[in-house]
Every structure is written in C-alpha cells, then in structure tokens.
Amino acid sequence: AKKVGRANHQFFAPAMNAAAGARLALERALRLALENQQFELHYQPKVDVASGAVVAMEALVRWRCPQRGMVPPNDFIGVAEEIGLIIPLGAWVLREACRQNRAWQLAGMAQLRVAVNLSAYQFRQKDLPEFVAGVLRDTGMDASCLELEVTESVVMHNPADAARMLDRLHGQGIHISVDDFGTGYSSLSYLKQFRLDTLKIDRSFVRDISSDADDAAIVRSVIALAHSLRLKVIAEGVETDAQLAYLRELGCDQYQGYLRSKPLPAHEFEALVRAGG
Ligand code: C2E
Ligand code: CA
Ligand code: CA
Ligand code: CA
C-alpha cells in the first residue's frame, strides 16, 4: 500500500500538488470558519422605483477570514456546496437574517422584508419548509417578513419537485423570488405552475439597458410577462441614473444596486434606513 501511495504522489506535477494543497487548506479553513463565527451578513436595500423608499433588503454572506481577508461568496459557496457545508452554513444565514431583522423590528426600525439566498442543495432538502418554520418560530419573525431567493436553474432542475416545495414555503406566507431571471433556458410555461411573488431581472440585462435595444426589449418583455401573471419585478445591478430612468419608464417595480447602496454591514444598513433610506 505504501508503494502505491508513493507512486501516486509522484504522478502529480508539483503545480497540481500546490493546487490540491491550497484546496484542502481552503476546505479546512471553511469548516473552522463556521465554528469560529467568521461569517457575517451584509444587507443591500431593495428600493421602490416609484417612491425611492427602501422596502426590503437582501442578506448576502461574507467570510471574514483572518488569513484571507474578506472573502466574497462566489469564492466559497461552491466549495461549501461540494463539501456539504452549505447546509449548516445556509441554516446559519437564514437564522441570522431572521434574528437581525426581528431585532431591528423590536428596536422600532421600519418593518422590512429580508431576502435570503437558497442554494440548490438547501432547496432539495425535503424538510426545508419545517426547518424554515422552526427558524421563524425561534426568532419570532413573521413569515411575511421573509423572502427566499431561488435561481431559475434551481427551480428548473426538477420542476415537479420545485412546484411542491414552493407550495409548502409559499403556503406559510413566505415570499418567493426567482433570482437571475432570464439567464436560464426555461420554458415560460412553468411560471404559472409555481407559487411565486417576484422575478429578479439579472444584472446582465440591466447593464446596457439604455444603449442596447435587445436588452431593453428583453427587460420590457419580462416586465410585461410578470405583470400579466400578477408578479412583481425587481432589477438587480442598477448602477446609474440612466439605467434607473429607463427601468422606471418600463414600469419596473423595484431595484437593487450600487446606485443606491452596496451591501452593507448590519450597523451601516441600520444607519441608512434610519436616515430615511
Ligand atoms: P446574487 O444573489 O445574484 O446577488 C447579487 C450580487 O450582485 C451580490 O454579490 C451583490 O453584492 C452584487 N451587486 C449588487 N448590486 C450591484 C451593482 O450595482 N453592480 C454590481 N456589479 N454588483 C452588484 P455578492 O454579495 O458577492 O454575492 C454573489 C452571489 O453569491 C450571489 O449572487 C448569490 O448567488 C451568492 N450568495 C450570496 N450570499 C449567499 C448566501 O447566503 N447563500 C447562498 N446560497 N448564496 C449566496
Ligand atoms: Ca440573490
Ligand atoms: Ca441575482
Ligand atoms: Ca446574479
């Protein structure tokens, strides 16, 4: 066995050894990060297009790693999924978002809904609705103040299962958004089978909306489609006044983006809302 081990070892080029080593170190650090409370949530406002008021927020996870600094989710969510850490991490995110929002409500801050991103792995857990109900019970937050964001590709992976899952979540009074809408290749007929509240238009369609006629046409169609199905529409990645003006003209309901605010640590988000959004 020892000989085989050594032979295997020699098979890898040094660069691959380094990459494998780095990956192992990342996995180990990630596992410890949850135990050592190195994750935190930042909050980005969701803004009503017509009034300019902050009406909700999205919780976005960050990893404050002592060695790596502040790590963005795109650099660790995938690994967390592969090593199964996404289930306890996702549970922590949900609990923390609800706890923080309830604390804000009790402190007299304007009542806002908090949106939490769900990984495909979480969405496939059969007991997810019971788990979410338990978190709402424990934190004392009303179901109507929780929104779950699931991507188009997650719901389309198994539409029949997804429809049942969305029924069970929506039936509790939880809002459901389809994230990154337009990036998948779904048939639109599924929209009427799913219990949904909001379509989130992906950032890639918003970027050039005021200069690219095709992007503008797609956004216009998505808004018309959503409204005829009695769904709300939110645009993500709004960075300029020109983009916002265009979205207003097309009748988009809400927006998110750096134009109003980046995702902020809890105390900074609180200050933004208390200052009147
Ligand atoms: P997402 O759900 O599509 O979130 C939107 C991303 O766009 C966020 O990146 C946000 O910071 C960024 N963003 C917001 N406004 C603007 C803008 O005006 N311009 C640009 N260029 N970007 C903007 P972030 O926080 O790095 O999150 C990246 C992705 O990581 C999220 O994409 C989501 O898929 C995932 N993610 C974040 N938090 C969680 C979580 O708690 N659980 C899971 N499963 N996934 C998460
Ligand atoms: Ca999202
Ligand atoms: Ca998105
Ligand atoms: Ca996205």
Side-chain angles (χ1 to χ4, degrees):
K2 213 166 193 176
K3 248 185 192 155
V4 173
R6 201 172 291 139
N8 262 341
H9 197 254
Q10 282 169 353
F11 176 78
F12 289 108
M16 271 183 83
N17 271 332
R23 165 67 192 227
L24 274 175
L26 175 63
E27 289 179 10
R28 203 173 306 125
L30 260 183
R31 285 207 179 81
L32 290 172
L34 196 54
E35 287 167 34
N36 294 338
Q37 297 170 305
Q38 291 166 0
F39 291 108
E40 58 185 71
L41 296 184
H42 286 195
Y43 298 90
Q44 186 178 40
K46 298 192 182 206
V47 183
D48 183 76
V49 170
S51 71
V54 174
V55 289
M57 59 201 154
E58 179 175 4
L60 294 151
V61 71
R62 273 96 182 86
W63 173 22
R64 193 184 286 278
C65 176
Q67 286 79 38
R68 295 157 221 258
M70 195 67 106
V71 187
N74 285 334
D75 291 357
F76 65 84
I77 291 285
V79 180
E81 288 177 333
E82 284 170 38
I83 65 175
L85 190 74
I86 194 68
I87 298 301
L89 174 58
W92 178 84
V93 168
L94 180 71
R95 196 173 287 281
E96 174 59 14
C98 293
R99 183 205 64 75
Q100 178 65 79
N101 197 30
R102 183 61 185 149
W104 276 332
Q105 291 173 353
L106 291 172
M109 203 167 98
Q111 186 136 322
L112 302 175
R113 185 178 295 137
V114 64
V116 171
N117 291 284
L118 280 189
S119 149
Y121 292 78
Q122 290 174 278
F123 194 71
R124 279 183 225 134
Q125 302 276 305
K126 290 283 175 279
D127 63 350
L128 176 68
E130 289 76 22
F131 178 75
V132 176
V135 170
L136 291 172
R137 202 163 47 238
D138 294 348
T139 58
M141 199 183 78
D142 199 85
S144 66
C145 293
L146 179 63
E147 175 175 335
L148 295 174
E149 298 193 1
V150 278
T151 64
E152 189 179 356
S153 56
V154 166
V155 286
M156 285 314 294
H157 178 76
N158 183 338
D161 280 357
R164 271 191 295 275
M165 180 58 86
L166 293 176
D167 277 351
R168 290 166 66 202
L169 293 166
H170 198 270
Q172 297 181 39
I174 297 163
H175 276 241
I176 308 288
S177 295
V178 179
D179 208 346
D180 302 345
F181 188 76
T183 59
Y185 39 93
S186 48
S187 94
L188 294 176
S189 65
Y190 81 89
L191 280 177
K192 67 171 187 196
Q193 302 162 22
F194 290 159
R195 301 276 298 269
L196 306 171
D197 299 284
T198 306
L199 300 185
K200 276 194 100 164
I201 299 179
D202 191 67
R203 187 162 77 225
S204 57
F205 301 109
V206 174
R207 195 185 320 120
D208 302 322
I209 190 173
S210 53
S211 57
D212 184 318
D214 293 339
D215 285 339
I218 289 169
V219 172
R220 186 191 304 274
S221 307
V222 170
I223 292 172
L225 174 76
H227 285 168
S228 62
L229 294 169
R230 292 171 303 281
L231 303 174
K232 296 265 187 242
V233 191
I234 182 165
E236 63 178 16
V238 177
E239 297 181 352
T240 69
D241 285 317
Q243 290 166 338
L244 177 58
Y246 214 96
L247 288 163
R248 183 180 292 120
E249 204 176 295
L250 295 180
C252 188
D253 302 295
Q254 298 175 7
Y255 76 95
Q256 251 178 287
Y258 296 166
L259 177 64
R260 173 53 68 94
S261 174
K262 288 188 181 176
L264 299 172
H267 63 281
E268 286 178 39
F269 181 81
E270 180 178 345
L272 176 133
V273 172
R274 286 197 190 275

Short mmCIF file of all heavy atoms in Angstrom, two decimals, residues 41-42 44 58-62 72-77 81 86 89-90 92-94 116-120 122 149 151 179-180 200 202-203 236-240 243 256-263, ligand 1:
data_model
loop_
_atom_site.label_atom_id
_atom_site.label_comp_id
_atom_site.label_asym_id
_atom_site.label_seq_id
_atom_site.Cartn_x
_atom_site.Cartn_y
_atom_site.Cartn_z
N LEU A 41 -23.26 38.66 7.68
CA LEU A 41 -24.18 39.04 6.63
C LEU A 41 -24.10 40.53 6.37
O LEU A 41 -24.00 41.33 7.29
CB LEU A 41 -25.63 38.69 7.04
CG LEU A 41 -25.93 37.21 7.24
CD1 LEU A 41 -27.41 37.00 7.53
CD2 LEU A 41 -25.52 36.40 6.02
N HIS A 42 -24.09 40.87 5.09
CA HIS A 42 -24.24 42.26 4.69
C HIS A 42 -25.63 42.39 4.06
O HIS A 42 -26.19 41.41 3.58
CB HIS A 42 -23.13 42.67 3.72
CG HIS A 42 -21.81 42.86 4.40
ND1 HIS A 42 -20.75 43.50 3.83
CD2 HIS A 42 -21.39 42.48 5.64
CE1 HIS A 42 -19.73 43.52 4.67
NE2 HIS A 42 -20.08 42.91 5.77
N GLN A 44 -28.24 44.56 1.48
CA GLN A 44 -28.39 45.54 0.40
C GLN A 44 -29.87 45.93 0.27
O GLN A 44 -30.73 45.06 0.23
CB GLN A 44 -27.90 44.97 -0.93
CG GLN A 44 -27.92 46.03 -2.05
CD GLN A 44 -27.39 45.52 -3.37
OE1 GLN A 44 -27.66 44.40 -3.75
NE2 GLN A 44 -26.64 46.36 -4.07
N GLU A 58 -31.69 42.45 0.93
CA GLU A 58 -31.17 41.12 0.65
C GLU A 58 -29.96 40.87 1.55
O GLU A 58 -29.06 41.71 1.63
CB GLU A 58 -30.75 40.98 -0.82
CG GLU A 58 -30.16 39.59 -1.14
CD GLU A 58 -29.86 39.37 -2.62
OE1 GLU A 58 -30.03 40.31 -3.42
OE2 GLU A 58 -29.43 38.25 -2.97
N ALA A 59 -29.97 39.73 2.22
CA ALA A 59 -28.83 39.33 3.06
C ALA A 59 -27.82 38.59 2.19
O ALA A 59 -28.19 37.65 1.48
CB ALA A 59 -29.31 38.43 4.20
N LEU A 60 -26.57 39.04 2.23
CA LEU A 60 -25.51 38.42 1.42
C LEU A 60 -24.35 38.05 2.35
O LEU A 60 -23.86 38.88 3.11
CB LEU A 60 -25.06 39.38 0.32
CG LEU A 60 -26.16 39.66 -0.73
CD1 LEU A 60 -26.01 41.03 -1.35
CD2 LEU A 60 -26.14 38.57 -1.80
N VAL A 61 -23.93 36.79 2.26
CA VAL A 61 -22.95 36.29 3.22
C VAL A 61 -21.53 36.67 2.81
O VAL A 61 -21.22 36.77 1.62
CB VAL A 61 -23.09 34.75 3.39
CG1 VAL A 61 -22.62 34.01 2.14
CG2 VAL A 61 -22.36 34.26 4.63
N ARG A 62 -20.68 36.95 3.80
CA ARG A 62 -19.25 37.19 3.62
C ARG A 62 -18.48 36.38 4.64
O ARG A 62 -19.00 36.10 5.72
CB ARG A 62 -18.90 38.68 3.84
CG ARG A 62 -19.05 39.54 2.61
CD ARG A 62 -20.40 40.23 2.62
NE ARG A 62 -20.63 41.04 1.43
CZ ARG A 62 -21.12 40.56 0.28
NH1 ARG A 62 -21.40 39.28 0.15
NH2 ARG A 62 -21.32 41.36 -0.75
N PRO A 72 -15.48 37.09 -0.73
CA PRO A 72 -16.83 37.17 -1.30
C PRO A 72 -17.42 35.79 -1.52
O PRO A 72 -16.69 34.81 -1.69
CB PRO A 72 -16.61 37.89 -2.64
CG PRO A 72 -15.20 37.60 -3.01
CD PRO A 72 -14.43 37.41 -1.72
N PRO A 73 -18.76 35.70 -1.51
CA PRO A 73 -19.42 34.39 -1.57
C PRO A 73 -19.08 33.57 -2.82
O PRO A 73 -19.02 32.35 -2.75
CB PRO A 73 -20.91 34.72 -1.51
CG PRO A 73 -21.02 36.18 -1.74
CD PRO A 73 -19.73 36.79 -1.35
N ASN A 74 -18.85 34.25 -3.95
CA ASN A 74 -18.54 33.48 -5.16
C ASN A 74 -17.24 32.68 -5.00
O ASN A 74 -17.00 31.74 -5.74
CB ASN A 74 -18.45 34.40 -6.38
CG ASN A 74 -19.83 34.84 -6.84
OD1 ASN A 74 -20.82 34.14 -6.62
ND2 ASN A 74 -19.89 36.00 -7.47
N ASP A 75 -16.41 33.07 -4.03
CA ASP A 75 -15.14 32.36 -3.81
C ASP A 75 -15.26 31.20 -2.83
O ASP A 75 -14.28 30.48 -2.62
CB ASP A 75 -14.07 33.32 -3.29
CG ASP A 75 -13.62 34.32 -4.35
OD1 ASP A 75 -14.12 34.22 -5.49
OD2 ASP A 75 -12.80 35.19 -4.04
N PHE A 76 -16.44 31.03 -2.18
CA PHE A 76 -16.52 29.91 -1.24
C PHE A 76 -17.84 29.15 -1.23
O PHE A 76 -17.90 28.04 -0.72
CB PHE A 76 -16.17 30.35 0.19
CG PHE A 76 -17.13 31.33 0.82
CD1 PHE A 76 -18.29 30.88 1.44
CD2 PHE A 76 -16.87 32.68 0.79
CE1 PHE A 76 -19.17 31.78 2.02
CE2 PHE A 76 -17.74 33.59 1.38
CZ PHE A 76 -18.90 33.14 1.99
N ILE A 77 -18.91 29.70 -1.82
CA ILE A 77 -20.19 29.00 -1.79
C ILE A 77 -20.09 27.66 -2.54
O ILE A 77 -20.57 26.63 -2.08
CB ILE A 77 -21.33 29.86 -2.40
CG1 ILE A 77 -21.65 31.04 -1.47
CG2 ILE A 77 -22.58 29.03 -2.64
CD1 ILE A 77 -22.42 30.70 -0.22
N GLU A 81 -20.69 24.01 -0.99
CA GLU A 81 -21.66 23.05 -1.53
C GLU A 81 -21.01 21.69 -1.72
O GLU A 81 -21.57 20.66 -1.35
CB GLU A 81 -22.24 23.58 -2.86
CG GLU A 81 -23.19 24.75 -2.66
CD GLU A 81 -23.71 25.35 -3.97
OE1 GLU A 81 -23.02 25.24 -5.00
OE2 GLU A 81 -24.82 25.93 -3.93
N ILE A 86 -22.67 23.67 2.98
CA ILE A 86 -23.70 24.65 2.63
C ILE A 86 -24.97 24.45 3.48
O ILE A 86 -25.70 25.42 3.73
CB ILE A 86 -24.04 24.59 1.12
CG1 ILE A 86 -24.85 25.83 0.69
CG2 ILE A 86 -24.80 23.32 0.77
CD1 ILE A 86 -24.09 27.12 0.73
N LEU A 89 -24.17 26.06 6.86
CA LEU A 89 -23.93 27.49 6.58
C LEU A 89 -25.23 28.18 6.18
O LEU A 89 -25.55 29.27 6.66
CB LEU A 89 -22.87 27.65 5.47
CG LEU A 89 -22.63 29.08 4.98
CD1 LEU A 89 -22.21 30.00 6.13
CD2 LEU A 89 -21.56 29.10 3.87
N GLY A 90 -25.98 27.52 5.29
CA GLY A 90 -27.26 28.10 4.87
C GLY A 90 -28.23 28.24 6.04
O GLY A 90 -28.99 29.21 6.12
N TRP A 92 -27.33 28.74 9.12
CA TRP A 92 -26.84 29.90 9.90
C TRP A 92 -27.30 31.21 9.26
O TRP A 92 -27.77 32.12 9.95
CB TRP A 92 -25.31 29.86 10.03
CG TRP A 92 -24.82 31.05 10.78
CD1 TRP A 92 -24.75 31.21 12.14
CD2 TRP A 92 -24.41 32.31 10.21
NE1 TRP A 92 -24.32 32.48 12.45
CE2 TRP A 92 -24.10 33.18 11.29
CE3 TRP A 92 -24.28 32.78 8.90
CZ2 TRP A 92 -23.66 34.49 11.10
CZ3 TRP A 92 -23.84 34.10 8.71
CH2 TRP A 92 -23.54 34.92 9.80
N VAL A 93 -27.17 31.29 7.92
CA VAL A 93 -27.56 32.51 7.21
C VAL A 93 -29.04 32.83 7.45
O VAL A 93 -29.40 33.96 7.78
CB VAL A 93 -27.27 32.38 5.69
CG1 VAL A 93 -27.94 33.51 4.90
CG2 VAL A 93 -25.77 32.36 5.42
N LEU A 94 -29.88 31.81 7.32
CA LEU A 94 -31.31 32.02 7.49
C LEU A 94 -31.63 32.50 8.91
O LEU A 94 -32.36 33.46 9.13
CB LEU A 94 -32.07 30.73 7.19
CG LEU A 94 -33.59 30.83 7.35
CD1 LEU A 94 -34.19 31.68 6.24
CD2 LEU A 94 -34.23 29.45 7.37
N VAL A 116 -33.32 36.00 1.63
CA VAL A 116 -32.20 35.09 1.85
C VAL A 116 -32.02 34.23 0.61
O VAL A 116 -33.01 33.73 0.05
CB VAL A 116 -32.48 34.20 3.10
CG1 VAL A 116 -31.44 33.11 3.24
CG2 VAL A 116 -32.54 35.07 4.36
N ASN A 117 -30.78 34.06 0.17
CA ASN A 117 -30.49 33.21 -0.99
C ASN A 117 -30.46 31.75 -0.59
O ASN A 117 -29.84 31.39 0.41
CB ASN A 117 -29.14 33.59 -1.59
CG ASN A 117 -29.17 34.95 -2.23
OD1 ASN A 117 -29.69 35.13 -3.33
ND2 ASN A 117 -28.64 35.95 -1.54
N LEU A 118 -31.11 30.91 -1.37
CA LEU A 118 -31.10 29.48 -1.10
C LEU A 118 -30.24 28.76 -2.13
O LEU A 118 -30.39 28.98 -3.33
CB LEU A 118 -32.51 28.91 -1.21
CG LEU A 118 -33.48 29.07 -0.05
CD1 LEU A 118 -34.72 28.23 -0.33
CD2 LEU A 118 -32.86 28.69 1.28
N SER A 119 -29.35 27.91 -1.65
CA SER A 119 -28.58 27.06 -2.56
C SER A 119 -29.46 25.91 -3.06
O SER A 119 -30.43 25.52 -2.41
CB SER A 119 -27.37 26.52 -1.80
OG SER A 119 -27.01 25.25 -2.28
N ALA A 120 -29.08 25.38 -4.21
CA ALA A 120 -29.80 24.23 -4.77
C ALA A 120 -29.86 23.08 -3.76
O ALA A 120 -30.87 22.39 -3.65
CB ALA A 120 -29.12 23.76 -6.05
N GLN A 122 -29.88 23.23 -0.47
CA GLN A 122 -30.88 23.51 0.56
C GLN A 122 -32.28 23.28 0.02
O GLN A 122 -33.14 22.73 0.69
CB GLN A 122 -30.79 24.97 1.01
CG GLN A 122 -29.57 25.31 1.82
CD GLN A 122 -29.53 26.81 2.06
OE1 GLN A 122 -29.09 27.58 1.21
NE2 GLN A 122 -30.01 27.23 3.22
N GLU A 149 -34.90 33.64 -2.09
CA GLU A 149 -34.49 33.80 -3.49
C GLU A 149 -33.93 32.47 -3.98
O GLU A 149 -32.97 31.95 -3.42
CB GLU A 149 -33.44 34.91 -3.62
CG GLU A 149 -33.96 36.28 -3.20
CD GLU A 149 -33.06 37.43 -3.62
OE1 GLU A 149 -32.02 37.20 -4.27
OE2 GLU A 149 -33.42 38.58 -3.30
N THR A 151 -32.70 30.50 -7.65
CA THR A 151 -32.39 30.82 -9.04
C THR A 151 -33.28 30.02 -9.99
O THR A 151 -33.80 28.96 -9.64
CB THR A 151 -30.91 30.54 -9.40
OG1 THR A 151 -30.69 29.14 -9.27
CG2 THR A 151 -29.98 31.30 -8.49
N ASP A 179 -34.42 34.34 -8.75
CA ASP A 179 -33.19 35.11 -8.90
C ASP A 179 -32.59 34.87 -10.29
O ASP A 179 -32.81 33.82 -10.89
CB ASP A 179 -32.19 34.63 -7.83
CG ASP A 179 -31.20 35.71 -7.42
OD1 ASP A 179 -31.10 36.73 -8.13
OD2 ASP A 179 -30.53 35.51 -6.39
N ASP A 180 -31.82 35.84 -10.76
CA ASP A 180 -31.09 35.73 -12.03
C ASP A 180 -32.04 35.37 -13.18
O ASP A 180 -31.67 34.61 -14.09
CB ASP A 180 -29.98 34.67 -11.93
CG ASP A 180 -28.98 34.98 -10.82
OD1 ASP A 180 -28.98 36.12 -10.34
OD2 ASP A 180 -28.21 34.09 -10.44
N LYS A 200 -36.62 38.45 -10.43
CA LYS A 200 -35.46 39.34 -10.34
C LYS A 200 -34.74 39.33 -11.66
O LYS A 200 -34.17 38.32 -12.05
CB LYS A 200 -34.48 38.84 -9.26
CG LYS A 200 -34.82 39.27 -7.88
CD LYS A 200 -33.65 39.03 -6.93
CE LYS A 200 -32.86 40.28 -6.67
NZ LYS A 200 -31.98 40.15 -5.47
N ASP A 202 -31.91 39.64 -14.11
CA ASP A 202 -30.46 39.53 -13.91
C ASP A 202 -29.72 40.80 -14.34
O ASP A 202 -30.10 41.47 -15.29
CB ASP A 202 -29.91 38.32 -14.67
CG ASP A 202 -28.48 38.04 -14.26
OD1 ASP A 202 -28.27 37.65 -13.09
OD2 ASP A 202 -27.57 38.23 -15.09
N ARG A 203 -28.66 41.05 -13.61
CA ARG A 203 -27.79 42.21 -13.84
C ARG A 203 -27.32 42.32 -15.30
O ARG A 203 -27.14 43.40 -15.83
CB ARG A 203 -26.59 42.07 -12.91
CG ARG A 203 -25.67 43.22 -12.85
CD ARG A 203 -24.81 43.14 -11.61
NE ARG A 203 -23.73 42.17 -11.73
CZ ARG A 203 -23.40 41.30 -10.80
NH1 ARG A 203 -24.08 41.22 -9.69
NH2 ARG A 203 -22.40 40.48 -10.97
N GLU A 236 -31.76 43.94 -10.77
CA GLU A 236 -30.56 43.97 -9.93
C GLU A 236 -29.40 44.61 -10.70
O GLU A 236 -29.43 44.70 -11.92
CB GLU A 236 -30.18 42.56 -9.42
CG GLU A 236 -29.82 41.57 -10.49
CD GLU A 236 -29.42 40.20 -9.91
OE1 GLU A 236 -29.69 39.92 -8.74
OE2 GLU A 236 -28.85 39.42 -10.68
N GLY A 237 -28.41 45.07 -9.95
CA GLY A 237 -27.22 45.63 -10.57
C GLY A 237 -27.41 47.01 -11.17
O GLY A 237 -26.74 47.38 -12.13
N VAL A 238 -28.33 47.80 -10.60
CA VAL A 238 -28.55 49.15 -11.12
C VAL A 238 -27.47 50.08 -10.58
O VAL A 238 -27.35 50.26 -9.37
CB VAL A 238 -29.96 49.67 -10.73
CG1 VAL A 238 -30.15 51.10 -11.21
CG2 VAL A 238 -31.03 48.74 -11.30
N GLU A 239 -26.68 50.63 -11.49
CA GLU A 239 -25.52 51.44 -11.08
C GLU A 239 -25.63 52.90 -11.49
O GLU A 239 -24.92 53.75 -10.95
CB GLU A 239 -24.23 50.83 -11.66
CG GLU A 239 -23.95 49.43 -11.13
CD GLU A 239 -22.65 48.82 -11.68
OE1 GLU A 239 -22.05 49.42 -12.59
OE2 GLU A 239 -22.27 47.74 -11.18
N THR A 240 -26.49 53.21 -12.47
CA THR A 240 -26.52 54.59 -12.99
C THR A 240 -27.94 55.15 -13.00
O THR A 240 -28.93 54.41 -13.05
CB THR A 240 -25.98 54.66 -14.44
OG1 THR A 240 -26.92 54.01 -15.31
CG2 THR A 240 -24.62 54.00 -14.56
N GLN A 243 -29.83 54.03 -16.11
CA GLN A 243 -30.46 52.71 -16.01
C GLN A 243 -31.77 52.80 -15.23
O GLN A 243 -32.80 52.24 -15.63
CB GLN A 243 -29.52 51.71 -15.32
CG GLN A 243 -28.31 51.33 -16.17
CD GLN A 243 -27.23 50.63 -15.36
OE1 GLN A 243 -27.16 50.76 -14.14
NE2 GLN A 243 -26.38 49.89 -16.05
N GLN A 256 -32.34 47.12 -7.13
CA GLN A 256 -31.23 46.93 -6.20
C GLN A 256 -29.98 47.32 -6.95
O GLN A 256 -29.86 47.02 -8.14
CB GLN A 256 -31.10 45.44 -5.86
CG GLN A 256 -31.50 45.02 -4.48
CD GLN A 256 -31.35 43.51 -4.32
OE1 GLN A 256 -32.15 42.77 -4.87
NE2 GLN A 256 -30.34 43.08 -3.59
N GLY A 257 -29.03 47.93 -6.28
CA GLY A 257 -27.78 48.21 -6.98
C GLY A 257 -26.96 49.27 -6.30
O GLY A 257 -27.41 49.96 -5.40
N TYR A 258 -25.72 49.38 -6.79
CA TYR A 258 -24.77 50.31 -6.20
C TYR A 258 -25.26 51.75 -6.29
O TYR A 258 -24.82 52.60 -5.53
CB TYR A 258 -23.40 50.18 -6.88
CG TYR A 258 -22.72 48.84 -6.70
CD1 TYR A 258 -21.63 48.48 -7.48
CD2 TYR A 258 -23.17 47.92 -5.73
CE1 TYR A 258 -20.99 47.26 -7.32
CE2 TYR A 258 -22.53 46.70 -5.57
CZ TYR A 258 -21.45 46.38 -6.37
OH TYR A 258 -20.82 45.16 -6.22
N LEU A 259 -26.15 52.05 -7.26
CA LEU A 259 -26.69 53.41 -7.36
C LEU A 259 -27.24 53.85 -6.02
O LEU A 259 -27.01 54.99 -5.59
CB LEU A 259 -27.79 53.46 -8.43
CG LEU A 259 -28.50 54.81 -8.58
CD1 LEU A 259 -27.52 55.89 -9.05
CD2 LEU A 259 -29.67 54.71 -9.57
N ARG A 260 -27.97 52.98 -5.34
CA ARG A 260 -28.48 53.32 -4.02
C ARG A 260 -27.48 52.93 -2.93
O ARG A 260 -27.12 53.74 -2.09
CB ARG A 260 -29.83 52.64 -3.76
CG ARG A 260 -30.35 52.82 -2.33
CD ARG A 260 -30.39 54.28 -1.88
NE ARG A 260 -31.37 55.03 -2.60
CZ ARG A 260 -32.60 55.22 -2.18
NH1 ARG A 260 -32.98 54.73 -1.02
NH2 ARG A 260 -33.45 55.92 -2.90
N SER A 261 -27.03 51.68 -2.95
CA SER A 261 -26.08 51.24 -1.93
C SER A 261 -25.51 49.88 -2.25
O SER A 261 -26.19 49.02 -2.80
CB SER A 261 -26.79 51.17 -0.57
OG SER A 261 -25.92 50.61 0.40
N LYS A 262 -24.25 49.69 -1.89
CA LYS A 262 -23.66 48.36 -1.87
C LYS A 262 -24.28 47.59 -0.71
O LYS A 262 -24.89 48.18 0.18
CB LYS A 262 -22.16 48.47 -1.61
CG LYS A 262 -21.37 49.00 -2.75
CD LYS A 262 -19.90 48.87 -2.42
CE LYS A 262 -19.09 49.44 -3.56
NZ LYS A 262 -17.67 49.45 -3.31
N PRO A 263 -24.07 46.27 -0.66
CA PRO A 263 -24.43 45.54 0.56
C PRO A 263 -23.60 46.10 1.73
O PRO A 263 -22.39 46.33 1.57
CB PRO A 263 -24.04 44.09 0.24
CG PRO A 263 -23.99 44.03 -1.26
CD PRO A 263 -23.53 45.38 -1.70
P1 C2E B 1 -26.88 37.25 -6.24
O1 C2E B 1 -27.87 36.60 -5.33
O2 C2E B 1 -27.26 37.44 -7.66
O3 C2E B 1 -26.52 38.63 -5.52
C1 C2E B 1 -26.24 39.82 -6.20
C2 C2E B 1 -24.76 40.10 -6.24
O4 C2E B 1 -24.57 41.30 -7.01
C3 C2E B 1 -24.13 40.38 -4.88
O5 C2E B 1 -22.79 39.91 -4.92
C4 C2E B 1 -24.16 41.91 -4.82
O6 C2E B 1 -23.18 42.44 -3.96
C5 C2E B 1 -23.86 42.24 -6.25
N1 C2E B 1 -24.37 43.57 -6.61
C6 C2E B 1 -25.38 44.24 -6.05
N2 C2E B 1 -25.58 45.42 -6.65
C7 C2E B 1 -24.66 45.50 -7.64
C8 C2E B 1 -24.34 46.50 -8.64
O7 C2E B 1 -24.96 47.56 -8.74
N3 C2E B 1 -23.32 46.22 -9.50
C9 C2E B 1 -22.61 45.05 -9.42
N4 C2E B 1 -21.62 44.88 -10.28
N5 C2E B 1 -22.88 44.09 -8.49
C10 C2E B 1 -23.90 44.32 -7.62
P2 C2E B 1 -22.18 39.06 -3.75
O8 C2E B 1 -22.65 39.57 -2.42
O9 C2E B 1 -20.72 38.95 -3.99
O10 C2E B 1 -22.88 37.65 -3.95
C11 C2E B 1 -22.62 36.87 -5.10
C12 C2E B 1 -23.50 35.67 -5.15
O11 C2E B 1 -23.21 34.78 -4.06
C13 C2E B 1 -24.98 35.99 -5.01
O12 C2E B 1 -25.49 36.44 -6.23
C14 C2E B 1 -25.52 34.65 -4.57
O13 C2E B 1 -25.72 33.82 -5.67
C15 C2E B 1 -24.38 34.10 -3.74
N6 C2E B 1 -24.70 34.29 -2.30
C16 C2E B 1 -24.51 35.37 -1.53
N7 C2E B 1 -24.93 35.15 -0.27
C17 C2E B 1 -25.41 33.88 -0.26
C18 C2E B 1 -25.98 33.03 0.77
O14 C2E B 1 -26.18 33.42 1.93
N8 C2E B 1 -26.32 31.76 0.39
C19 C2E B 1 -26.14 31.31 -0.89
N9 C2E B 1 -26.51 30.04 -1.17
N10 C2E B 1 -25.62 32.06 -1.85
C20 C2E B 1 -25.25 33.33 -1.54
#
